[in-house]
Amino acid sequence: MKYLLTLLFVAFVSNAQIKKEQLDLMPWPQNINLKEGIFPLTKNFKVNITGNPNPRIFVGTTNFLRRLDGRTGLFLTQGFITKVNESPVAELQINCAQNGKIGLYEDESYQLDIQPNKIMINATTDLGALHALETLLQMLQNNSTSYYFPSATVTDLPRFTWRGVMIDVARHFQPVDVIKRNLDAMAAVKMNVFHWHLTDDQGWRIQVKKHPKLTSLASDGFFYTQEEIKSVVKYADERGILVVPEIDVPGHASAILTAYPEIGSKMIPFSNGTSEKNMQSTALASYGIERNAGIFNPTLDPSNPKTYQLLSEIFDEVCPLFPGAYFHIGGDENEGKDWDSNPKIQEFKKKNKLVTNHDLQTYFTMQLIPMLKKHGKQLMGWEEIMTKDMSKNAIIHSWKGPNEGVPVGQSLANAAKNGYKTVLSNGYYIDLVQGVDKHYLNDPIPKGSNLTVEEKARILGGEATMWSELVTPLTLDSRIWPRTAAIAERLWSNQDVVDLNSLHKRMKTISFRLEELGITHLRNKDVILRNISNNQGIKALEDFSNVCEPLKIYKRNAGGTEYQMYSPFTLFADACTPDAFDAFDFDTAVDRYLKNKNPENQLLVSSFLKKWIATNNDLVHLSLNAPLVHPILPLSKSLSDLSQQLLLVMENKQSLNVSLLHDLLEQCNSKDHADVELAVYTSLKKLIGA
Amino acid sequence: MKYLLTLLFVAFVSNAQIKKEQLDLMPWPQNINLKEGIFPLTKNFKVNITGNPNPRIFVGTTNFLRRLDGRTGLFLTQGFITKVNESPVAELQINCAQNGKIGLYEDESYQLDIQPNKIMINATTDLGALHALETLLQMLQNNSTSYYFPSATVTDLPRFTWRGVMIDVARHFQPVDVIKRNLDAMAAVKMNVFHWHLTDDQGWRIQVKKHPKLTSLASDGFFYTQEEIKSVVKYADERGILVVPEIDVPGHASAILTAYPEIGSKMIPFSNGTSEKNMQSTALASYGIERNAGIFNPTLDPSNPKTYQLLSEIFDEVCPLFPGAYFHIGGDENEGKDWDSNPKIQEFKKKNKLVTNHDLQTYFTMQLIPMLKKHGKQLMGWEEIMTKDMSKNAIIHSWKGPNEGVPVGQSLANAAKNGYKTVLSNGYYIDLVQGVDKHYLNDPIPKGSNLTVEEKARILGGEATMWSELVTPLTLDSRIWPRTAAIAERLWSNQDVVDLNSLHKRMKTISFRLEELGITHLRNKDVILRNISNNQGIKALEDFSNVCEPLKIYKRNAGGTEYQMYSPFTLFADACTPDAFDAFDFDTAVDRYLKNKNPENQLLVSSFLKKWIATNNDLVHLSLNAPLVHPILPLSKSLSDLSQQLLLVMENKQSLNVSLLHDLLEQCNSKDHADVELAVYTSLKKLIGA
């Protein structure tokens, strides 16, 4: 009896009533109510499905079981789930009233009820049930020896219907397995739109059987076959994700024009004629796959019927591969330079009473609408397509913001006011490697918005954009995750869920759990550092990378020519990530120390400083046999130098030399080394009182 | 002048004449001659190709440039190589006399000549040139700030023409990207045959359009489409690798019989009849996909014409996908139990004068030869197919050895003596997770072999076999690599290259370099440990995993039923590998200490012991919030307990208690915990003098 009491007491302590703040759910559900008691997980745990779901729930539930088993090592006895009502007495009962349709406005809500003996998921559609399974996986808790779910009820549904990620596979091709693992990660944070940027100046990435030149001449051999496209679409469907393809026209056309120069706008006058003759006799310009980053001139000729014929034939093949109702035609960043210099096009404008190049582009875009409508597709384009004559059926993808000299949210609001459905990407440009806070607080409909209810309803949601100038399959995941989980929460959860401390705490767990889906953001960092270290051990590099971040916005590749598309992305900057791991903790330590300079708080700060001094010594040692370490040394030395001085001052071994400290601090603000910056600069500045 | 002298001196020191022993080449070339001087690598380094090569050399050379650039971060200016003689003045000139044909006996030789200003590769075929590029990548050296190749001449060719890896994708499916990265790794160590074990009891993994039931009923949705098969074959071809498919018949047939039970051998007598009636009236047995490991009864019925019709139709679709000249039909482990109990089959044997089941299997196999010959394919099978009536055109795959009660090398020698071409896999069973030494020293034609020259010539080479009962895509690479690099050397290099110290030293570098090809053996170990640690930090787990190895041979899954195919392979044993990292170093330390117990040598040993004591404490701490750590604790405690006693004795703080030490030692010999064993047990035993 005494033994039993002890056991009960242990169980009580270790399974003590959990609080909401302890749960690492993301996106945070609309309603969650924790109750007393737990559901203990054992190897006999089984799932049963009832109702009329789409078969994707069988794939999803089987995957759920494998993930749960992989985490816990319980050897769950249930293998594959293949049909309704296979295990009527199972502890987890999932009921889906109807077959979920992939697309906007579908019911994705769910109810999850965890009781000490049973768990119930009720959802209108299997899409909601899949979301519930992700929530349940996030609810998993453990004590020292076992796993359990806390008793709770969750009722949940998304705030926005479009919760997307765009991946640019043109700048750097991303193989099918890379796309699939990212679809898994998207589903894990309840995102439901994958926007596939398939073409750009740097490559044409989708097979078109009628026009094999597109891939044989303009892909370097890196493209998806139609069967691969289908397999990705199927994989996405099984995870409740809509795939929206993008064929970017009329600009960003270097690749398509490499294959079909005859539909380009560029005119090359003969050099050996009179000027009058030049006006009439032009030769075909030739184009090449672009190797740099930037905005380029190659543009389709909107006055040439062959342009429309080719696009129509491409759409005829591409559209049926994507069962969804939306097709993105790009339309961005066409500066029309080749239009301006082409007399034939100028004449066409006059003839059709098109005053500006915007008018001409609208003319062009309007021709595409029926080509897509024929396949049941609605046209979507970047915000440049929004002109006064553009069809109101088009969906406007808002991307410009302060970087482009436009106020935050302006084009999104304008689109909604003008009667367009619209999706927000400005503020979600994850390729700019900025910290997560900014993305997280970027609300598609900020509080105090003066839009009407109808206008607000036109704002479908948002989309994180992963442009790939500076990422390869090795680093892509680390640029998307874990920050995109915060964007997913912004688009799913209540507008009032904005606590940054909570976000940072939960992101650590979410980031860790993404590994089980194959996401490589953590593991590939070490791979890059091992190469840089020349296999001499990575601890010093890892410690230093935890206070460094890659240069942000467009600073790493100013002018777009430092890196070609085939340049090495195996450098220190590629191993570093936004939200450097130690920066947040150091900042917290500095704040505490500045509030109260007691020995404990001083130790918190000084242990960082001592680590950085040791790291610098280790890096110098490493560099004796590792050329790739050298570019990092100046910045590491700056941090070490400042740390040494700060330690002396903090430990009262030296009086404060303000000017010396400021000099050393400014050396820590350098952006000249290894394409990274010190993420602890601001905290150091605070510490010095500068 | 003084400055210049210093510079020259530095250069002299750091680029000091390198010695052969410093090179980490694998497989070791037949002839290598180092000369004075170096070829310094700069960003302007370019390659040019001349001669009449197969276009695969362009893919190979472009990949070579990307790998070189990724390692060095030099930003090489040359992007894609697409045709002959693109850069006539390039520093690296590659000349291939002729188009290499994928298959046996092709000329794979090469000459590599590195001079201070230029590098020349001469090869009869592009296949030899690809090997030369791998050697060149392995020759890369660095000083503290730059990269270079040492001047040298290499002339090289393989000892055996069949240097293979088999991957079983039936027990655990391995997606296309997993296969492709392993093909890259194979090519990096000059292997040239990929044997694809596509079917077994646990799944049918290849699409057959005429018989969709094979995959819809017997694959759990995990199979390759024909287009995926083609893409793998093309990828292999570009890397000089022949693909040999295997459809395993007539045994290992649970999956095929799940789809087509009507061609199975099992007879189910009606239960409600007289015994005479039972003999005649039988019902169709039903089969299911096997979830366990082992040898199972389901076997095709060799007396049923439908069996041959189905196989013929399967071959008609499968053969054209593989341009190579060889087709593996398995033929192993058929115990014929269902044949014995089926009167119809017994009658068939009598009628056809087939005395034994071996005779019956030979009859069966002989029917397949013309079906394959029709497609230009030669039949290959596991050694069980070698019976007196088997065609001499069949290739015999030797796999049995001491584990099966057969002397080493016996079936291989017998096959060669009987006039068959033959390939050795016994001794190369890498799935048994044994140490590398044994595989490395396993010579297909050992010195002192009494085979004639003709008989020896029939021994084509060898093949590492990666059976997949206990591996998933997460762990596969760590079971194949780096040990298979040693097998590659055995099959390529001179028979006299057998130095184990050299092997271990070079393997460290080879293992590290495999990461650049995407091989995940290092990175995924950390992923598994992070999950086990419940994201609390992996150092203690990593340290302990460096002295643990997964249970060997068939001990981890005795009886084949502890693990189902869908069990979790995310356990500590899955993170551990053969050749535990610290075991070799500890053994060396013990040997030195036993030879001379000076303080320095004592420190070497005691630092290990202290680490293990600390590790155990850390693991105990970790386990408070990580259930998956618990199974490891007893073994960690045993090692810690013994280490504590040994330290006391070594430091003369306690007199030797032999009996206590022996007790503690034997606890370190346990195989009862977490499916691992301590790899330092033998060294500890030596240390104690037991």
Side-chain angles (χ1 to χ4, degrees), chain B residues 10 60 79 138 201 209 281 366 419 476 524 547 552 619 638 652:
Chain B
V10 169
Q138 291 183 354
D201 293 296
K209 291 177 182 170
S281 306
M366 292 297 287
L476 180 84
N524 282 2
V547 293
K552 298 175 201 311
L619 288 175
S638 296
N652 291 317

Side-chain angles (χ1 to χ4, degrees), chain B residues 159 409 412-414 416-417 443-453 455-457 459 495:
Chain B
R159 180 173 166 221
L412 188 81
N414 284 348
K417 283 180 191 160
D443 198 312
I445 310 178
K447 288 201 170 172
S449 155
N450 62 2
L451 297 179
T452 67
V453 174
E455 287 163 357
K456 282 179 184 170
I459 295 178
Q495 182 159 30

